[in-house]
Amino acid sequence: MISPEKKMDLLVSLCKRRGFVYPDSDIYGGFANAFDYGPNGIELKNNIRDAWWKRFVHGREDVVGIDTPIIQHPKVWEASGHLATFSDPLVDCKKCKRRFRADHLLEAKQAEPGYNKEVPLHIKDVDCPECGGELTDIKNFNLMFKTFVGVTEDSANVAYLRPETAAGMFTAWKNVRDTMRKKLPFGIAQVGKAFRNEITPGNFIFRTREFEQMEIEYFVKPDDSERAFDMWLNEMKIWVEDVLKINPKNLVYKEISESDRAFYSKRTVDIEYQYPFGQKELYGLANRTDYDLSRHQEFSGEDLRWLDPETNTKILPHVVEPTWGLSRTVLAVLVEHLDVDEADTSEGETEPRMVLRLPPRLSPVKAAVLPLQKKDGLADIGRELASKIRAAGLVVEYDESGSIGKRYRRQDEIGTPWCFTVDYDTKENNTVTVRDRDAMTQERIKIDEVVAFIQSRLN
Ligand code: ATP
């Protein structure tokens, strides 16, 4: 068994070596906590995003999609409450000058064995976890990135990068309601970038200052919000367990107590995942009541109520918000499906052997075509087969160099579910061997059946 720390190190190096995630601005020495998604990383991320959109937008009669700007009218953030309250409690160490989130330090202290939960804890009771130095008082630090729109940098031109995608759904609600002929309950979905000037980013792509979210604001009649909440909780469970194939034993559905949730929230459940660096939030689900629409109604002066055709009365809908971090999903999926064991080397030692057992639908590359030899026309047959697979809209890699064992290992590390090997028998009888990544079986199938073989297993 490898330790969680070792697994995380192996994952980070695999991500770089195999083109999933690189440090950003690497040629300049990197830019802390910023990452590039490489060719395999972007395929994986897009596959997750597409599976989500297909399931929750195309697959449902009651959800429509939108795309709104990263920089919206600054009033939006006044109305949403972000300008006043979207802050984290910050403390500095007076000795080593490191910076921490006070809530994280307090939580860690309270989780220590022997801590008496009855005794209230103050930040003054906590020392710097790095050097033991004294900490400053707590300051509140607003997480929104400020910028200026237009040529002059004065307060009239101040704008913000959105810290979540949700606000766009509230500001577009009236237009969507008026144009899409939807009846309550119905939801608006969006996928996009969000920006937070996090005090303590880290743990690879878990917490970054720029990240992606997939969110739905689900508008309901006030007395329908509890049913809708349960329905979305179930949907999120199916997504994470059946689509991403994350083992339920690595998940915790955490009911957030009244004292810990936002004042307007009637109920909040965090879905936490057992990352190698600890159990942390993956997704969240909140019953936001009519907080957002009532605030935007007040600040915009527009009537945001919905006319219920059954009762002919106007009501302000309540909102249930399931939110999925896309970047955190990429990390959870990689952690969950990275399988590491020890393999013997030719020098009589052992080395870690890694297989990404991704659900095939999420794999960046669906198939690899590997001719046993370049010569004797095997390469030509292989290239032709790869073109056929590509023409069917499937991502395929053609690889003719190095030993076949090494080529299999490379495909295992990027999670390719099927490798097709062209050998001398192919010339005789038009068949290839299929190697299954997980079962490690090899079977021969007709070259003409390869595309159907892949497609039938993906659907
Ligand atoms: P945390 O407690 O980890 O800071 P949060 O409760 O502030 O998260 P939300 O505001 O509920 O997070 O954001 C919704 C989702 O967006 C989270 O569940 C997470 O998946 C994702 N997310 C939030 N902040 C980040 C970040 N800095 N980097 C990557 N993903 C993030």
Side-chain angles (χ1 to χ4, degrees):
M1 266 290 278
I2 54 160
S3 67
E5 294 79 35
K6 174 88 180 152
K7 181 166 182 180
M8 198 60 206
D9 287 349
L10 288 170
L11 179 69
V12 173
S13 68
L14 179 140
C15 278
K16 180 161 189 200
R17 187 158 37 89
R18 294 303 185 203
F20 281 91
V21 180
Y22 311 120
D24 173 59
S25 308
D26 216 7
I27 57 167
Y28 290 100
F31 186 51
N33 302 296
F35 296 93
D36 298 345
Y37 284 80
N40 286 320
I42 185 63
E43 291 299 331
L44 171 61
K45 181 147 66 104
N46 285 349
N47 290 343
I48 294 171
R49 190 200 57 201
D50 293 348
W52 184 89
W53 194 268
K54 274 213 170 80
R55 184 171 187 88
F56 295 122
V57 182
H58 295 171
R60 296 185 64 113
E61 204 184 341
D62 58 351
V63 178
V64 290
I66 56 163
D67 185 41
T68 63
I70 283 166
I71 301 178
Q72 290 197 277
H73 196 298
K75 260 235 144 99
V76 171
W77 308 111
E78 249 178 81
S80 69
H82 281 84
L83 256 184
T85 60
F86 194 60
S87 51
D88 275 341
L90 164 86
V91 286
D92 289 306
C93 172
K94 290 183 182 168
K95 198 165 143 207
C96 72
K97 309 290 175 211
R98 283 195 178 85
R99 234 162 219 185
F100 304 96
R101 260 177 68 174
D103 54 332
H104 287 173
L105 295 187
L106 292 171
E107 270 166 33
K109 191 91 182 163
Q110 283 162 352
E112 277 177 12
Y115 173 74
N116 181 354
K117 289 212 165 9
E118 304 307 315
V119 184
L121 187 61
H122 189 267
I123 195 68
K124 286 281 161 219
D125 305 325
V126 184
D127 296 327
C128 170
E130 296 292 335
C131 76
E134 195 190 335
L135 300 172
T136 59
D137 284 334
I138 296 176
K139 287 172 274 203
N140 278 324
F141 174 75
N142 195 297
L143 300 181
M144 279 201 296
F145 278 99
K146 204 187 231 182
T147 187
F148 299 92
V149 172
V151 287
T152 49
E153 293 196 1
D154 59 33
S155 57
N157 291 328
V158 165
Y160 300 90
L161 307 193
R162 66 179 176 199
E164 56 178 35
T165 59
M169 277 79 100
F170 296 119
T171 53
W173 144 257
K174 187 168 184 279
N175 281 335
V176 176
R177 180 199 69 185
D178 292 347
T179 55
M180 301 311 289
R181 307 160 56 97
K182 291 277 175 204
K183 279 196 194 150
L184 293 186
F186 86 90
I188 310 180
Q190 170 160 225
V191 179
K193 289 237 164 150
F195 300 81
R196 296 182 187 179
N197 201 359
E198 297 277 4
I199 297 168
T200 49
N203 288 322
F204 196 36
I205 55 171
F206 174 78
R207 187 182 301 285
T208 49
R209 295 195 168 103
E210 173 174 347
F211 56 96
E212 275 171 276
Q213 294 182 314
M214 311 184 284
E215 294 195 293
I216 296 175
E217 304 304 320
Y218 195 71
F219 300 86
V220 296
K221 293 185 189 174
D223 60 5
D224 191 30
S225 70
E226 283 165 33
R227 179 208 60 86
F229 191 100
D230 290 336
M231 181 271 289
W232 280 109
L233 188 56
N234 191 43
E235 285 296 327
M236 294 179 96
K237 196 167 155 39
I238 295 171
W239 163 261
V240 72
E241 294 178 15
D242 296 354
V243 180
L244 305 181
K245 305 271 185 226
I246 291 187
N247 190 327
K249 79 172 178 14
N250 296 329
L251 293 164
V252 173
Y253 296 83
K254 189 161 119 193
E255 197 74 49
I256 305 298
S257 67
E258 194 172 349
S259 58
D260 283 339
R261 58 183 189 243
F263 71 90
Y264 47 78
S265 171
K266 224 166 140 187
R267 187 179 170 198
T268 301
V269 170
D270 281 352
I271 302 178
E272 299 188 335
Y273 177 66
Q274 194 63 55
Y275 289 96
F277 42 84
Q279 180 185 310
K280 306 221 176 278
E281 175 168 336
L282 173 61
Y283 302 141
L285 174 63
N287 180 342
R288 300 182 61 95
T289 64
D290 65 355
Y291 172 76
D292 306 273
L293 285 186
S294 67
R295 293 276 295 187
H296 287 295
Q297 181 163 267
E298 182 192 332
F299 279 72
S300 66
E302 288 276 343
D303 185 356
L304 299 182
R305 289 172 303 166
W306 176 76
L307 181 67
D308 185 344
E310 279 162 27
T311 58
N312 212 23
T313 51
K314 281 185 155 188
I315 55 162
L316 199 58
H318 281 217
V319 169
V320 172
E321 178 193 74
T323 162
W324 294 257
L326 176 53
S327 329
R328 276 189 195 175
T329 308
V330 171
L331 182 57
V333 161
L334 286 169
V335 166
E336 179 74 14
H337 298 294
L338 177 66
D339 192 359
V340 188
D341 65 9
E342 300 270 280
D344 295 331
T345 66
S346 47
E347 288 82 41
E349 291 171 359
T350 57
E351 61 178 7
R353 182 175 53 195
M354 287 174 271
V355 185
L356 263 186
R357 300 196 190 282
L358 297 171
R361 191 174 166 192
L362 304 183
S363 289
V365 175
K366 304 297 184 231
V369 176
L370 317 171
L372 205 57
Q373 303 273 350
K374 280 185 225 173
K375 55 184 191 197
D376 300 330
L378 299 189
D380 294 339
I381 301 174
R383 280 191 187 282
E384 201 188 316
L385 174 59
S387 313
K388 258 198 203 156
I389 300 173
R390 200 171 292 120
L394 299 161
V395 180
V396 59
E397 273 197 8
Y398 171 79
D399 185 3
E400 59 180 22
S401 50
S403 76
I404 192 80
K406 280 222 171 90
R407 283 183 272 164
Y408 281 148
R409 290 274 294 279
R410 187 172 172 275
Q411 295 302 329
D412 283 348
E413 289 196 352
I414 62 175
T416 307
W418 304 289
C419 290
F420 297 91
T421 310
V422 177
D423 56 20
Y424 287 97
D425 285 349
T426 310
K427 290 176 75 173
E428 303 295 315
N429 58 14
N430 284 323
T431 63
V432 287
T433 38
V434 195
R435 173 190 179 265
D436 184 288
R437 178 196 68 199
D438 299 328
M440 295 284 277
T441 48
Q442 308 234 9
E443 62 172 304
R444 285 204 87 88
I445 63 165
K446 289 217 153 44
I447 210 161
D448 292 344
E449 288 166 5
V450 167
V451 169
F453 176 96
I454 304 168
Q455 281 167 337
S456 67
R457 278 156 184 79
L458 285 176
N459 293 329

